[in-house]
């Protein structure tokens, strides 16, 4: 045991040393190898439901939600009235005596928590505090439906509504291991013109475009991680939903064209004979087929001569359902070819103002290419249709259908189309908890989008190779925040940075510079396959990737995802072995910040010869200073760390050593 006065003296000496170094102007390293390479990165072991190798465990379970919905759109008062019947299967090992539902439309009630968070002055992406609109659900009735001996009984229950959640107490216990309950909810609401950039109404001279989402009460997820997931909908955080089958009937004025998630079951009832013929042709054509032209929008004969029509749709193994409706739609489509030999349909609907070969006239081409590419690279597209809708929504994704900005053109339209359909894989196929971990859909999607843009049409819209040094100034500025923060907890200005750019960049870095595309892609595809139509956590992803690439990546996840640490790797000294260049050079490098990465050192000799040394990240396991020998037999002119600028080095000024002129 060290005596107290000795400890005090030691502390005093350390303080003096630090102070002296600072006084001399020499930067002090923030690096701590023990903190970065701590072997206890994973705080727990694998479980029965989630295995240590990142796969779903043998005991993994997941509840199921099957929906039967009928709804009607009134385009005179912008109101939707509907009835949703949920068949909920409790596959968990727990008995349940109540259910929780999401009532997302309640966000647009001026008394909502999300409304309270809006800035007093100025419009947020998620609402406008000055807007006079008063939205929200009118829940008309909630009933429990039971059948005994061929007799159906409806039991009225009184729900408890709290902001954007609704609790329904069950008259009898919903038993573990597969017991089912049927809940029917009758409701109505007025569609907001601007619904947090996810749903809304685009005003148009030929007829308003209704982009309808978050439009029915949805069951919350009950999982093995925290039970009921009931975080309120505040606008920034998106959704966490159960999988099931949807049977949906939508009634609208007959002048409308209605597109939706899933397969259209009654095309002959809602199309003219000519439109049906074109629609069937599109299913067999790799070229875009016009179903309803620009000229036909103002032609009453382009729609059946009835007051109303009911469009019937179905989609299996889906987590959600959305739709769009308008009198103003141009409508075109083409066949999607999937790796298995199956076919799907790409289609686009847009107003005449969005038409053109440099605009939405190429939307179906973009949609088809995006779906075919992701299906080939990662996992086959699971739905019968992919619909792109021009709307007043900048970009929002749902199973089988997306909403994109009506004014998007050329590369902008490709980018938003590819991004929103990329969401089919994250989070529609891999059903992560977006409400908590927005980066697990936006970041993953940004990552695959970058690769897709390289693939599309020989790189027609491919982005230039990024300078990671320059990017780091933005990614890791003083105002930036951690990737792992919930979207609602992020500053709105940082959402694009923390949820999209940073995780997308980090995954690209991991793929291209640390483990290599071959190992990464194999592991990534396995992760998608293992967790398709399931609910992975961040830790499942981390474990899955580590097992797939065969690396301990705790240091990477910690610095890049859990924390917001900077990288700054510096050359602090160049000397010659025995003061003789013919014996080789010794390069001393130092890690100045808390993150670490592998190191690439490029050197140039006085005669112009160049060479490189690649050092693994493990050089930083024992401390922040490392010496490496370069085998040269003449003096060096220049030595540079990370000459290609592929690592996010925050301070490039200390990356280069240049020989002093004699």
């Amino acid at each position: 045991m060290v005596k107290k006065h000795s400890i005090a003296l030691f502390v005093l000496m350390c303080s003096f040393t630090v102070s002296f170094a600072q006084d001399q102007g020499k930067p002090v390293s923030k690096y701590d190898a023990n903190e970065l390479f701590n072997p206890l990165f994973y705080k727990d072991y694998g479980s029965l439901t989630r295995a240590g190798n990142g796969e779903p465990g043998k005991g993994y379970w997941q509840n199921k939600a099957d929906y039967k919905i009928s709804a009607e759109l009134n385009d005179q008062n912008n109101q939707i009235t509907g009835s949703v019947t949920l068949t909920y299967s409790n596959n968990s090992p727990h008995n349940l005596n109540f259910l929780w539902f999401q009532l997302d439309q309640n966000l647009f009630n001026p008394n909502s928590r999300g409304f309270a968070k809006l800035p007093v002055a100025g419009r947020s992406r998620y609402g406008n505090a000055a807007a006079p609109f008063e939205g929200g659900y009118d829940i008309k009735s909630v009933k429990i439906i039971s059948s005994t001996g061929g007799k159906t009984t409806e039991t009225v229950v009184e729900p408890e509504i709290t902001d954007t959640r609704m609790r329904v107490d069950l008259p009898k216990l919903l038993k573990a291991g597969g017991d089912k309950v049927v809940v029917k909810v009758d409701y109505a609401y007025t569609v907001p013109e601007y619904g947090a950039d996810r749903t809304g109404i685009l005003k148009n001279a030929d007829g308003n475009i209704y982009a309808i989402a978050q439009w029915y009460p949805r069951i919350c997820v009950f999982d093995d991680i925290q039970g009921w997931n009931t975080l309120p909908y505040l606008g920034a955080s998106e959704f966490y939903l159960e999988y099931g089958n949807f049977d949906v009937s939508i009634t609208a004025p007959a002048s409308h064209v209605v597109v939706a998630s899933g397969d259209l079951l009654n095309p002959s009832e809602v199309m003219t004979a000519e439109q049906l013929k074109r629609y069937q042709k599109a299913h067999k054509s790799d070229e875009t087929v016009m179903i309803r032209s620009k000229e036909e929008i103002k032609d009453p004969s382009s729609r059946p001569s009835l007051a109303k029509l009911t469009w019937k749709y179905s989609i299996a193994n889906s987590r959600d359902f959305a739709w769009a409706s308008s009198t103003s739609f141009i409508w075109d489509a083409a066949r999607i070819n999937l790796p298995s030999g199956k076919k799907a349909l790409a289609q686009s609907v847009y107003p005449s103002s969005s038409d053109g070969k440099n605009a939405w006239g190429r939307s179906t081409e973009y949609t088809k290419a995006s779906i075919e590419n992701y299906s080939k690279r990662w996992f086959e597209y699971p739905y019968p249709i992919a619909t792109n809708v021009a709307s007043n929504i900048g970009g929002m994704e749902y199973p089988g259908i997306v909403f994109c900005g009506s004014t998007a053109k050329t590369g902008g339209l490709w980018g938003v189309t590819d991004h929103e359909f990329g969401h089919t894989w994250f989070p529609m196929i891999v059903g992560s908890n977006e409400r908590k971990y927005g980066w697990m859909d936006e970041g993953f999607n940004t990552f695959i989008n970058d690769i897709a843009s390289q693939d599309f049409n020989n790189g027609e819209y491919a982005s230039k190779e990024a300078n990671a040094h320059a990017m780091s100034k933005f990614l890791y500025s003083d105002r930036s925040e951690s990737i792992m923060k919930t979207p609602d907890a992020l500053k709105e200005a940082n959402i694009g940075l923390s949820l999209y750019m940073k995780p997308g960049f980090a995954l690209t870095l991991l793929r291209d510079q640390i483990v290599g595309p071959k190992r990464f892609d194999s592991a990534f595809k396995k992760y998608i396959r293992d967790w398709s139509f399931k609910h992975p956590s961040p830790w499942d992803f981390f474990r899955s990737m580590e097992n797939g690439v065969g690396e301990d990546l705790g240091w990477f996840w910690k610095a890049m995802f859990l924390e917001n640490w900077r990288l700054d790797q510096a050359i602090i000294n160049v000397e010659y072995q025995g003061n003789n260049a013919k014996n080789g050079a010794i390069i001393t490098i130092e890690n100045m910040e808390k993150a670490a990465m592998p190191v690439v050192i490029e050197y140039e000799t006085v005669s112009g010869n160049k060479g490189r040394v690649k050092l693994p990240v493990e050089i930083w396991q024992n401390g922040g200073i490392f010496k490496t020998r370069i085998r040269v037999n003449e003096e060096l002119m220049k030595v540079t760390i990370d000459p290609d600028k592929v690592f996010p080095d925050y301070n490039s000024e200390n990356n280069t050593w240049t020989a002093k002129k004699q």
Side-chain angles (χ1 to χ4, degrees):
M1 180 179 283
V2 181
K3 294 182 180 178
K4 289 184 179 180
H5 70 270
S6 300
I7 294 175
L9 180 62
F10 177 76
V11 172
L12 181 63
M13 291 175 63
C14 289
S15 300
F16 175 80
T17 302
V18 172
S19 177
F20 180 78
Q22 291 173 337
D23 289 344
Q24 295 301 305
K26 183 182 177 181
V28 178
S29 173
K30 300 176 183 177
Y31 183 68
D32 185 342
N34 294 325
E35 186 177 20
L36 184 63
F37 289 96
N38 192 316
L40 299 178
F41 173 73
Y42 294 107
K43 301 294 191 271
D44 53 17
Y45 301 103
S47 66
L48 186 65
T49 56
R50 298 170 189 271
N53 65 353
E55 297 176 0
K58 290 184 177 180
Y60 180 83
W61 56 265
Q62 189 170 299
N63 292 349
K64 187 174 185 237
D66 296 322
Y67 293 91
K68 185 174 183 176
I69 310 172
S70 61
E72 181 170 350
L73 169 66
N74 185 330
D75 64 354
Q76 299 304 300
N77 61 9
N78 299 333
Q79 190 170 80
I80 288 174
T81 55
S83 177
V84 55
T85 301
L86 166 71
T87 301
Y88 184 69
S89 302
N90 179 22
N91 300 319
S92 82
H94 308 283
N95 297 329
L96 303 176
N97 56 7
F98 55 83
L99 307 176
W100 279 103
F101 287 79
Q102 302 181 42
L103 300 182
D104 302 299
Q105 285 299 318
N106 285 358
L107 171 68
F108 308 110
N109 186 306
N111 296 316
S112 74
R113 298 184 189 185
F115 192 90
K117 286 190 67 177
L118 293 174
V120 175
R123 178 169 160 175
S124 161
R125 181 184 176 186
Y126 309 111
N128 183 356
F133 180 76
E134 295 191 15
Y137 279 117
D138 175 13
I139 301 297
K140 298 181 181 300
S141 69
V142 179
K143 300 174 183 177
I144 308 298
I145 312 296
S146 57
S147 298
T148 306
K151 183 180 179 182
T152 300
T153 303
E154 297 186 351
T155 304
V156 178
V157 295
E158 190 67 31
E160 183 178 347
I161 297 174
T162 305
D163 195 51
T164 58
R165 289 79 46 83
M166 176 174 74
R167 172 173 158 154
V168 176
D169 291 324
L170 302 175
K172 68 173 185 177
L173 207 63
L174 185 63
K175 295 181 179 179
D179 198 10
K180 299 178 187 285
V181 65
V182 179
V183 183
K184 182 180 181 183
V185 183
D186 293 327
Y187 66 96
Y189 77 94
T190 301
V191 181
E193 181 179 342
Y194 186 81
D197 209 20
R198 297 197 171 102
T199 183
I201 307 170
L202 173 62
K203 294 183 177 180
N204 185 273
D206 295 323
N208 292 342
I209 295 173
Y210 294 85
I212 306 300
Q214 290 81 251
W215 61 285
Y216 61 96
R218 304 183 291 184
I219 192 74
C220 295
V221 173
F222 183 84
D223 63 21
D224 63 304
I225 297 174
Q226 80 172 63
W228 286 110
N229 287 262
T230 59
L231 283 177
Y233 179 40
L234 302 177
S237 289
E238 294 185 77
F239 311 107
Y240 186 31
L241 302 166
E242 292 287 17
Y243 290 93
N245 302 325
F246 287 79
D247 181 357
V248 180
S249 297
I250 300 164
T251 300
S255 57
H256 283 230
V257 169
V258 177
V259 293
S261 300
D263 197 21
L264 177 60
L265 303 179
N266 61 335
S268 63
E269 297 176 10
V270 295
M271 298 180 189
T272 65
E274 182 59 30
Q275 286 169 354
L276 181 61
K277 185 178 174 181
R278 298 169 183 173
Y279 184 72
Q280 292 169 339
K281 180 182 178 182
H283 279 81
K284 301 176 182 179
S285 173
D286 287 323
E287 300 298 321
T288 300
V289 175
M290 187 61 65
I291 299 172
R292 189 185 190 221
S293 68
K294 179 179 181 178
E295 292 71 29
E296 290 173 301
I297 291 174
K298 296 182 183 293
D299 182 0
S301 67
S302 72
R303 298 296 305 128
S305 56
L306 297 169
K308 298 178 181 179
L309 285 172
T310 298
W311 300 65
K312 298 178 181 179
Y313 285 93
S314 71
I315 187 170
N317 206 15
S318 176
R319 49 172 258 159
D320 203 2
F321 191 100
W323 53 283
S325 182
S326 182
T327 61
S328 67
F329 281 150
I330 298 172
W331 184 5
D332 62 38
R335 178 178 67 188
I336 297 171
N337 303 297
L338 300 173
S340 68
K342 293 181 179 179
K343 310 298 179 184
L345 186 71
Q347 65 177 10
S348 302
V349 290
Y350 48 96
S352 59
S353 57
S354 300
D355 194 17
K357 63 180 182 179
N358 292 321
W360 277 78
R362 291 187 71 183
S363 169
T364 292
E365 175 197 347
Y366 296 159
T367 300
K368 171 181 166 68
S370 181
I371 298 295
E372 289 179 349
N373 182 60
Y374 291 132
S375 295
K376 182 180 179 180
R377 272 196 171 275
W378 308 117
F379 188 94
E380 186 165 294
Y381 187 74
Y383 306 124
I385 201 160
T387 303
N388 198 5
V389 180
S391 67
N392 65 333
I393 295 157
M396 186 61 198
E397 71 282 355
Y398 300 95
I401 188 170
V402 303
F403 306 147
C404 295
S406 63
T407 59
K409 296 179 179 179
T410 58
L413 180 58
W414 156 258
V416 69
T417 299
D418 184 64
H419 178 82
E420 301 313 329
F421 279 115
H423 276 302
T424 301
W425 284 264
F426 310 99
M428 305 309 162
I429 293 173
V430 182
S432 57
N433 185 346
E434 299 177 274
R435 189 63 54 90
K436 280 190 171 183
Y437 310 112
W439 62 270
M440 292 187 75
D441 71 300
E442 298 297 356
F444 286 9
N445 193 25
T446 300
F447 162 70
I448 64 174
N449 297 158
D450 289 341
I451 300 173
S453 290
Q454 302 291 329
D455 292 339
F456 175 68
N457 202 21
N458 298 314
E460 179 180 356
Y461 299 124
S463 57
K464 295 179 180 178
E465 202 165 306
N467 179 335
H469 291 195
M471 286 182 64
S472 70
K473 302 294 193 294
F474 179 59
L475 295 175
Y476 301 99
S477 70
D478 291 338
R479 74 171 183 86
S480 66
E481 299 176 82
S482 167
I483 290 171
M484 199 62 88
K485 290 185 73 171
T486 64
D488 287 323
L490 287 165
K491 298 179 180 68
E492 188 170 332
N494 282 344
I495 287 175
L497 178 65
S498 292
L499 302 186
Y500 294 70
M501 294 182 64
K502 285 173 74 173
F505 169 80
L507 291 176
T508 299
L509 179 67
L510 182 61
R511 178 182 189 260
D512 293 349
Q513 307 302 330
I514 297 173
V515 301
K518 186 176 181 180
R519 278 196 294 164
F520 182 99
D521 290 359
S522 176
F524 200 56
K525 284 192 284 189
K526 185 178 186 303
Y527 166 72
I528 296 171
R529 185 169 64 251
D530 287 344
W531 288 99
S532 59
F533 310 105
K534 297 181 180 68
H535 299 312
S537 74
W539 308 105
D540 297 319
F541 171 67
F542 297 155
R543 294 176 188 270
S544 180
M545 292 301 296
E546 289 189 11
N547 276 267
V549 303
E551 301 283 351
D552 184 340
L553 296 171
W555 60 273
F556 184 84
W557 310 128
K558 185 173 180 64
M560 295 287 107
F561 287 82
L562 272 66
E563 307 291 347
N564 194 38
W565 290 347
R566 291 173 178 168
L567 176 73
D568 180 15
Q569 299 182 143
I571 297 175
I572 60 174
N573 192 38
V574 176
E575 58 187 336
Y576 299 108
Q577 188 91 25
N579 292 320
N580 189 339
K582 293 183 179 181
N583 297 330
I586 297 174
I587 313 298
T588 304
I589 57 178
E590 185 171 11
N591 226 355
M592 303 304 297
E593 289 282 349
K594 296 177 77 68
M597 289 290 162
V599 178
V600 177
I601 299 175
E602 183 179 84
Y603 59 88
E604 182 179 355
T605 68
V606 291
S607 65
N609 291 324
K610 288 185 177 182
R612 289 192 175 190
V613 175
K614 295 182 179 180
L615 303 171
V617 73
E618 284 83 2
I619 66 171
W620 303 117
Q621 287 180 325
N622 303 108
I625 297 177
F626 187 80
K627 296 182 180 233
T628 186
R629 184 181 176 189
I630 297 177
R631 299 184 182 278
V632 293
N633 56 18
E634 59 179 334
E635 291 185 354
L636 297 169
M637 288 294 294
K638 187 178 182 181
V639 181
T640 303
I641 289 180
D642 190 20
D644 300 325
K645 297 181 172 62
V646 295
F647 294 101
D649 198 306
Y650 194 79
N651 179 18
S652 299
E653 294 181 2
N654 56 20
N655 281 38
T656 301
W657 172 91
T658 306
K660 294 180 180 179
K661 293 183 179 180
Q662 301 295 323

